[in-house]
Amino acid sequence: MEPGAETFRAPAAAYDRHVGRYGAQLASAMIDFAAIEPGIRALDVGCGPGALTAALMERLGRANVTGADPSEPFVEACRARLPGADVVVAPAESLPFGDDAFDAALSQLVVNFMRNPEEGVREMARVTRPGGVVASCVWDYAGEMRLLRAFWDAAREVDLDRAARADEGVVMRWCGEGELAELWRLAGLDHVRFGPISVRAGYAGFEELWSPLPTGVAPSGAFCKSLDEDRRAALKAAYRRHLGVGDGPFELTARAWAVAGTVPRPP
Ligand SMILES: C[S@@+](CC[C@H](N)C(=O)[O-])C[C@H]1O[C@@H](n2cnc3c(N)ncnc32)[C@H](O)[C@@H]1O
């Protein structure tokens, strides 16, 4: 398991209030980026509580979408939100589906958490028919994902050594511009396209943004939870300062890098 993957064995409600807040908008942009059209069957790998699954179902119909995720709490949350949805507990590296079972395989904010990303993407390609699309996106952790960039900049003020080792902008692979495209080519995909997706989320005030972090959800939450009370208070103050926000409403932008490629047709 990649560093951080275990932090998603957390309540889905906390995830929704944290990065999940950006999920629906990102999902809709991902579907457009991947050029997913009605009339096909799609798999959502690392579906989590189901932001992309729900958006795919809207576009393709509930019966044409399957979700997979190794986190049982997230799979349960996804099933509860989308009654009747076909959602299985499975990691990307070992998908319980036959070859060519889907017309498209997508994943949103997952590749950097895979134990073996190359194997995971190859599996996504294996279960997708020749000519079908395999697409994904990851946050621009080191750059324009403001929620997380400001968090780790604040965390470095509070505990430099540990924050530097946990900073997702440093430890996550496949997050720099063009890196996902490299992985897609390595996994044997054709016609690889790459580009940015920018989304926004609104907050009633800083407390709303902060509230999920002490639960330990996601790598940022796990870092927050691990601090003693004084350091957590220092982190909270520094984070608020780095974001430059207060008790009133505000919006943050978040950029992800997206990639899409097609499964080669036999010669
Ligand atoms: C940031 S969440 C994204 C969830 C969802 N796709 C979304 O956009 O809201 C990362 C997800 O990757 C899942 N995950 C972790 N390791 C994985 C693996 N090896 N294969 C597939 N999914 C994995 C986690 O359980 C979690 O649901």
Side-chain angles (χ1 to χ4, degrees):
M1 203 181 273
E2 274 298 291
E6 71 289 350
T7 62
F8 293 107
R9 296 183 195 279
Y15 177 78
D16 283 345
R17 285 185 285 124
H18 188 36
V19 279
R21 200 178 283 267
Y22 300 81
Q25 226 183 87
L26 187 61
S28 154
M30 259 302 288
I31 289 172
D32 289 343
F33 183 87
I36 299 296
E37 296 291 345
I40 66 164
R41 259 189 69 67
L43 173 67
D44 178 10
V45 175
C47 62
L52 178 60
T53 327
L56 283 167
M57 284 177 172
E58 238 173 71
R59 192 84 51 116
L60 306 178
R62 192 154 291 201
N64 292 319
V65 180
T66 295
D69 196 289
S71 160
E72 284 179 25
F74 277 8
V75 165
E76 273 166 33
C78 190
R79 285 180 183 145
R81 277 175 197 179
L82 302 166
D86 179 24
V87 190
V88 300
V89 178
E93 294 85 348
S94 147
L95 293 170
F97 309 108
D99 296 356
D100 310 344
F102 300 92
D103 301 296
L106 282 78
S107 78
Q108 174 165 298
L109 310 174
V110 175
V111 171
N112 51 301
F113 293 109
M114 289 180 190
R115 182 178 39 78
N116 185 334
E118 194 183 328
E119 202 177 306
V121 178
R122 282 191 192 280
E123 267 291 270
M124 289 173 72
R126 178 188 65 77
V127 301
T128 304
R129 67 163 169 80
V133 69
V134 176
S136 197
C137 65
V138 295
W139 289 129
D140 177 13
Y141 289 102
E144 300 300 317
M145 192 325 170
R146 281 200 66 211
L147 175 78
L148 297 177
R149 189 62 261 136
F151 177 88
W152 291 112
D153 289 343
R156 280 166 182 263
E157 280 188 20
V158 174
D159 186 337
L160 179 59
D161 285 353
R162 281 189 53 231
R165 284 198 306 271
D167 182 341
E168 292 162 284
V170 177
V171 299
M172 293 299 183
R173 293 188 66 203
W174 317 113
C175 308
E177 185 168 0
E179 285 180 11
L180 268 184
E182 244 174 75
L183 178 62
W184 252 234
R185 289 190 193 101
L186 214 61
L189 289 151
D190 275 349
H191 309 297
V192 176
R193 296 182 287 115
F194 182 81
I197 293 180
S198 287
V199 293
R200 305 172 77 81
Y203 297 84
F206 177 72
E207 282 301 327
E208 188 180 293
L209 178 148
W210 173 260
S211 66
L213 289 161
T215 69
V217 68
S220 43
F223 180 88
C224 175
K225 193 178 177 182
S226 73
L227 298 174
D228 63 33
E229 218 172 290
D230 286 350
R231 283 191 167 187
R232 198 175 308 150
L235 172 65
K236 189 173 179 182
Y239 193 14
R240 190 173 165 129
R241 179 163 39 75
H242 274 272
L243 285 167
V245 301
D247 296 332
F250 60 89
E251 277 195 345
L252 295 181
T253 53
R255 180 166 72 183
W257 295 114
V259 69
T262 54
V263 177
R265 293 179 197 276

